Amino acid sequence: MKFLVLGAAAGGGLPQWNCGCPNCNDARAGAIPASGQSSLAVSVNGDDWAVLNASPDIRQQMLVCPAMHPQSLRHSPVASVLVTNGDIDHIAGLLSLREQTHFDLFATADIHQVLSDNRIFDAVNRAKVTRHDIAPDAPFALLDGLDARLFPVPGKVPLFMEGDMVQTDLIGGQTVGVRLQSGTKVAYYIPGCADVTADLLERIGDADQLFFDGTLWDDDEMIRSGTGIKTGRRMGHIPISGTDGSMARLSGLSCAKTYIHINNTNPIWQPASPERAAVLAAGWRIGADGQETDL
Ligand code: MLT
Ligand code: MN
Ligand code: ZN
């Protein structure tokens, strides 16, 4: 499997249009790399690609990536798109793929329902873009030679569908992780996850490579930095740090590990930060746009 990070940032990107936090200012000034919103591409033959989550930045993400360029008059190397939840950063890019080229669109029935309920997605022609409902744990071919399964991870409904009461540890079809297998190699992609449960730990025990939710360093980082009023867990994202954070909870996994879906407030974006050093010392890679991983 070949992986290509199309966008390492969380919703909003880095910099975010309305944010003057130190990271966003540094990214705007070119002092640290800017990053697009959450998306990962995967291929087994290097020609046909699956895009895991279609971010609002997908047009630019494909433009700067030669592997994503058309090979003939009307063509795209993108053979399939998979969506892991109904959040805007993961579905809005579908609207940029509406120009009548076939691909397969994989998601759970719950996530497809979000698309069906929002008529703007009817612009993505069902006669060209085949929508496949994937049941939890049902094997399917994401690409020729690439076996995949979806599985529920703790999460919540999309932000724009939240009611007065929000359950942030729902286990169902609204937030899923992806297991990918080619030959004997196994990778997991989990860009949104509210908690690392014992069930999840057991499930991903066979990983050779893990791409995992690195939204926030600290659960209250957005509150402390004055950029938001919610904790990470309230947003459906386990923080990296702390005894019950993802770095500690996943420390027993000896596979290669990469943080992706990193919020613009996260101190791990800063090259000289102690937080970045701690993540690297724990053996993690930190996602970056254009980063390649061969497995
Ligand atoms: C998230 O990951 O929490 C969402 O992308 C938030 C959003 O929709 O902006
Ligand atoms: Mn997101
Ligand atoms: Zn910012």
Side-chain angles (χ1 to χ4, degrees), residues 27-239:
R28 239 174 245 115
I32 62 174
S35 183
Q37 296 170 78
S38 176
S39 185
L40 179 71
V42 58
S43 180
V44 285
N45 62 12
D47 293 325
D48 305 303
W49 290 81
V51 169
L52 309 176
N53 289 317
S55 102
D57 301 321
I58 194 166
R59 179 183 169 280
Q60 184 66 18
Q61 290 167 337
M62 293 171 81
L63 183 62
V64 298
C65 173
M68 300 284 133
H69 293 178
Q71 299 300 308
S72 58
L73 182 60
R74 283 291 163 112
H75 166 264
S76 171
V78 177
S80 56
V81 176
L82 188 159
V83 176
T84 62
N85 66 19
D87 274 329
I88 289 171
D89 56 345
H90 288 165
I91 64 172
L94 291 171
L95 299 175
S96 298
L97 304 179
R98 69 186 178 284
E99 285 97 358
Q100 310 297 330
T101 285
H102 166 75
F103 59 90
D104 289 296
L105 177 56
F106 296 101
T108 63
D110 287 314
I111 298 169
H112 277 301
Q113 191 65 46
V114 173
L115 303 178
S116 308
D117 287 346
N118 288 275
R119 285 210 49 206
I120 194 169
F121 290 100
D122 289 356
V124 184
N125 184 353
R126 290 163 190 268
K128 294 285 185 182
V129 175
T130 316
R131 302 188 188 192
H132 302 270
D133 276 2
I134 305 297
D137 291 309
F140 64 101
L142 181 60
L143 294 167
D144 285 346
L146 183 56
D147 300 322
R149 284 167 200 247
L150 305 182
F151 55 91
V153 297
K156 63 171 185 61
V157 296
L159 177 59
F160 63 87
M161 291 171 62
E162 288 185 3
D164 292 339
M165 300 290 285
V166 180
Q167 192 184 340
T168 56
D169 59 352
L170 277 176
I171 299 275
Q174 82 296 323
T175 307
V176 295
V178 188
R179 181 183 190 275
L180 298 167
Q181 180 162 16
S182 176
T184 59
K185 296 292 186 183
V186 174
Y188 288 86
Y189 171 62
I190 308 174
C193 186
D195 194 17
V196 177
T197 60
D199 278 357
L200 178 60
L201 266 182
E202 190 183 332
R203 181 185 282 276
I204 64 181
D206 62 347
D208 296 295
Q209 165 74 50
L210 170 68
F211 294 93
F212 194 80
D213 182 348
T215 306
L216 299 186
W217 169 259
D218 266 331
D219 199 35
D220 64 352
E221 166 183 318
M222 295 194 68
I223 300 168
R224 277 189 299 102
S225 62
T227 54
I229 56 170
K230 293 179 194 164
T231 63
R233 288 180 195 276
R234 168 62 185 79
M235 296 189 294
H237 300 290
I238 183 176

